[in-house]
Amino acid sequence: MNNKKTILYILSVLIIALVSITSYAYFTASIGGNATASNTVIVTGYMEVTFENGNVVGTTSNMLPGDYVTLAFSVRNTGTVDTAYDIYLNDVINDFANKSDLVYELISSEGYNINQTTCPETNTKIASNVAIGVGQTHNYTLKITFKETNLNQDNNKGKTFRAKVELSEEVPKIRLATKIIEDKNAGASYLEYDGVDTLGDVGTSDNNLRYVGKFPNNYVYFNCNTSNPDEMSIYTCQKWQIMGIFNNIEDGEGNADSRVKIIHSGYLGLYSWDSSIKAVNQGTGVNQWGESVYEDGTLYPGSFLMRELNTDYLGNYTIGADGYWVGDYYNRRTVKRPTSTIKSNALNMIQEAKWYTGSKGYSTLSFNPKNMYNLERSENNGKYCSGGVDCSDTVVRTSSWVGKIGLMSVSEFGYSTSGSDNYDKRTCLETDFSLWSYRYTFCGSSSWLYGVGNEYNYITLFTITASGTSNSANTVYCLSSSGDITERMLFEKNGVRPALYLKNDVYVLEGDGSYDNPYKLAI
């Protein structure tokens, strides 16, 4: 991983000017700087560096071979994570005739020590990757000595050594999940837990940490052309948004953990969720997202959109090998596939995970966010019909799926609302989605998931949550352009906004999560 080094131009200039005098081995040390300067303190995002007496190393004096000058400074980790730093001698001037006559030492009881070493002729890193823990302080003395060799040293008369001491700070590797929690602990109003401890009986059993409200600072640069944070921008990366930290999410091997989920801040285009031949559900598709089987035991590969996102969109052109994705009934591939795919550096960040695709099904519970969160994790699915032209498929339904690229669920939209000044969030979580478009419009309008892209285009977006009726198995729930959840036919073209889970070792290098300064990620 490329760790950005922030150069701190911070220390004093050390000058030893040697002038000719008659006595053997005598010289005058001229020390640059102001002898009365106060302490100099440099503060960065993670460290505080303090120099005694400003940029002064000593005073002008006559020196004999064996004499020395010193420079004292300290480094303190004022951040919230362990970090590291380098120490340099830069802007070096050394015209000594006999270089070995001038040596330096770095002396510290806590940090890094260097035994007597010949002063360099060029810029030199003298300490590398010095680890410093949270709250720790390293005190240093840099000592420059003109050695006594007991030989004629007149050839060094009138010579000069000069060096500037500089430090570079390693930007700590902060896990994205850790950063999100730090933001919450720092009072970020757009981060809320959805557990029963915070929301009471409308909360979830998992206590997820979510971004809520209309304009949260939840942006990341993702799918970049570069891994260099200095080069990450709107021209080299896409903007995605963090949905939150979701607990008890299994990976492809069944290991449960807390995982960060992100979603594209825009949408790929308008495509079908699924389609089928005319003899199956009248050609309108099958509302089963993931891979399954037919009743005779043969493989059902999953919905077209799932396969397109997890092959073509990942750079493995399969469904849309000819450049088109499904966008109509009867399996018609009529819409050009997205021009952008997930690049290799972003691929390495994606965690294969278990997605909950359960549906309301036959449940008589109110169709609100609280109930849908539980129903998505139930055995319910989108097919509870037993016959008819719109229920003619023989695909066995599942209520979960393991994969990389999916969509938002119905409950994720619901729990992203922040409510309004007149109605708290609880009102929305208890209210049927069908009322969000007219009586409780503030529920949808206060969610950042409602509206996509820079200008908040209000288009209908597919969710991963299938719907159905007692006589049909060809519909899916969508976030409508009116801010509620409605049902749409699978073959219809609607907005596709891909989502994914990140690996837990994805780190934040820079940024504050705002729209103009997204988090820059690395792995």
Side-chain angles (χ1 to χ4, degrees):
M1 183 184 70
N2 293 326
N3 290 324
K4 182 180 178 183
K5 301 290 186 177
T6 304
I7 299 299
L8 312 176
Y9 293 97
I10 52 180
L11 215 76
S12 60
V13 174
L14 188 64
I15 302 176
I16 303 174
L18 304 184
V19 296
S20 297
I21 53 178
T22 56
S23 299
Y24 164 74
Y26 281 77
F27 63 91
T28 299
S30 176
I31 308 302
N34 179 357
T36 63
S38 60
N39 286 2
T40 300
V41 180
I42 305 297
V43 179
T44 71
Y46 306 99
M47 297 197 309
E48 178 182 277
V49 185
T50 303
F51 311 95
E52 294 184 8
N53 302 316
N55 64 346
V56 176
V57 182
T59 60
T60 301
S61 63
N62 291 327
M63 297 180 67
L64 294 170
D67 287 349
Y68 59 84
V69 291
T70 61
L71 183 64
F73 61 98
S74 64
V75 181
R76 178 174 174 79
N77 183 349
T78 57
T80 58
V81 294
D82 296 346
T83 185
Y85 58 90
D86 300 334
I87 305 175
Y88 299 82
L89 293 180
N90 284 339
D91 295 348
V92 171
I93 298 174
N94 184 353
D95 62 0
F96 265 59
N98 189 346
K99 307 299 185 189
S100 62
D101 284 3
L102 197 66
V103 296
Y104 74 92
E105 299 171 75
L106 191 63
I107 305 165
S108 175
S109 59
E110 310 92 354
Y112 188 82
N113 289 276
I114 301 175
N115 295 327
Q116 206 170 76
T117 303
T118 300
C119 288
E121 301 177 57
T122 59
N123 295 352
T124 301
K125 182 192 295 186
I126 63 174
S128 180
N129 198 33
V130 182
I132 183 168
V134 175
Q136 289 185 348
T137 300
H138 294 172
N139 296 288
Y140 287 99
T141 298
L142 178 67
K143 182 178 180 180
I144 308 292
T145 302
F146 183 61
K147 291 174 57 178
E148 169 62 77
T149 65
N150 294 318
L151 299 173
N152 189 315
Q153 295 172 274
D154 285 349
N155 59 349
N156 281 326
K157 293 178 180 179
K159 305 301 183 183
T160 298
F161 174 83
R162 171 181 175 173
K164 179 191 295 183
V165 178
E166 296 178 343
L167 274 71
S168 69
E169 171 186 86
E170 180 179 0
V171 177
K173 297 194 301 183
I174 305 175
R175 287 179 56 197
L176 178 57
T178 301
K179 179 60 178 172
I180 294 170
I181 294 171
E182 284 183 354
D183 288 348
K184 170 61 178 173
N185 293 339
S189 60
Y190 43 78
L191 276 164
E192 293 182 3
Y193 287 102
D194 66 11
V196 294
D197 289 342
T198 54
L199 294 176
D201 60 3
V202 297
T204 74
S205 60
D206 293 309
N207 196 34
N208 308 296
L209 182 57
R210 301 176 187 264
Y211 285 88
V212 302
K214 192 61 177 178
F215 302 107
N217 289 339
N218 65 339
Y219 287 88
V220 297
Y221 280 134
F222 186 70
N223 203 24
C224 300
N225 294 326
T226 177
S227 59
N228 183 347
D230 287 336
E231 298 174 353
M232 293 180 183
S233 70
I234 58 174
Y235 304 106
T236 59
C237 303
Q238 294 173 347
K239 283 183 180 179
W240 287 54
Q241 289 176 271
I242 308 168
M243 302 183 78
I245 303 174
F246 294 85
N247 299 319
N248 304 312
I249 301 298
E250 296 178 8
D251 62 14
E253 299 178 352
N255 302 307
D257 206 345
S258 300
R259 306 187 190 279
V260 176
K261 192 174 189 178
I262 64 174
I263 190 168
H264 202 302
S265 66
Y267 62 102
L268 297 184
L270 304 178
Y271 302 98
S272 298
W273 201 92
D274 194 46
S275 187
S276 57
I277 61 174
K278 185 176 182 180
V280 175
N281 298 344
Q282 296 194 92
T284 57
V286 176
N287 62 3
Q288 163 65 22
W289 176 263
E291 182 180 283
S292 185
V293 294
Y294 293 97
E295 290 177 357
D296 63 5
T298 57
L299 176 68
Y300 175 71
S303 72
F304 271 106
L305 184 57
M306 182 280 289
R307 288 183 282 155
E308 290 161 346
L309 290 175
N310 288 273
T311 56
D312 296 352
Y313 189 51
L314 296 180
N316 178 23
Y317 293 116
T318 303
I319 306 299
D322 62 352
Y324 288 87
W325 279 7
V326 173
D328 207 343
Y329 54 85
Y330 299 164
N331 294 344
R332 293 172 177 168
R333 289 182 293 107
T334 60
V335 186
K336 287 186 177 180
R337 72 182 183 216
T339 56
S340 65
T341 60
I342 298 293
K343 300 172 179 62
S344 58
N345 61 340
L347 270 175
N348 293 332
M349 298 183 185
I350 301 174
Q351 176 66 61
E352 186 176 62
K354 179 179 180 179
W355 298 64
Y356 295 101
T357 60
S359 183
K360 187 174 185 297
Y362 52 78
S363 172
T364 58
L365 293 172
S366 175
F367 184 49
N368 59 40
K370 168 194 169 183
N371 290 332
M372 281 307 298
Y373 186 85
N374 295 322
L375 289 168
E376 289 162 2
R377 287 152 179 77
S378 73
E379 295 301 316
N380 281 8
N381 57 66
K383 185 179 182 182
Y384 57 101
C385 53
S386 57
V389 294
D390 290 331
C391 189
S392 59
D393 73 84
T394 61
V395 176
V396 177
R397 300 304 198 273
T398 64
S399 57
S400 65
W401 165 74
V402 175
K404 292 185 175 181
I405 308 293
L407 306 171
M408 78 174 91
S409 69
V410 167
S411 68
E412 284 169 340
F413 168 58
Y415 274 95
S416 66
T417 182
S418 61
S420 70
D421 293 338
N422 297 323
Y423 296 95
D424 63 13
K425 181 172 184 164
R426 181 187 184 90
T427 301
C428 296
L429 299 181
E430 293 178 323
T431 298
D432 194 288
F433 280 114
S434 64
L435 301 177
W436 281 33
S437 63
Y438 61 99
R439 186 178 301 176
Y440 296 92
T441 57
F442 61 87
C443 292
S445 63
S446 65
S447 166
W448 61 271
L449 283 169
Y450 174 46
V452 294
N454 299 352
E455 299 178 358
Y456 276 86
N457 297 314
Y458 295 98
I459 64 170
T460 296
L461 298 168
F462 281 126
T463 75
I464 201 171
T465 310
S467 64
T469 69
S470 59
N471 58 12
S472 67
N474 57 0
T475 57
V476 62
Y477 288 119
C478 291
L479 166 53
S480 79
S481 57
S482 301
D484 62 354
I485 296 293
T486 59
E487 293 177 276
R488 293 287 191 272
M489 300 288 284
L490 299 170
F491 75 90
E492 294 178 2
K493 291 190 291 292
N494 288 299
V496 173
R497 193 174 180 182
L500 57 89
Y501 289 96
L502 293 172
K503 292 180 178 177
N504 283 340
D505 54 355
V506 170
Y507 296 92
V508 176
L509 295 179
E510 291 183 359
D512 59 16
S514 63
Y515 178 82
D516 293 323
N517 189 23
Y519 293 128
K520 297 179 179 180
L521 306 181
I523 190 170

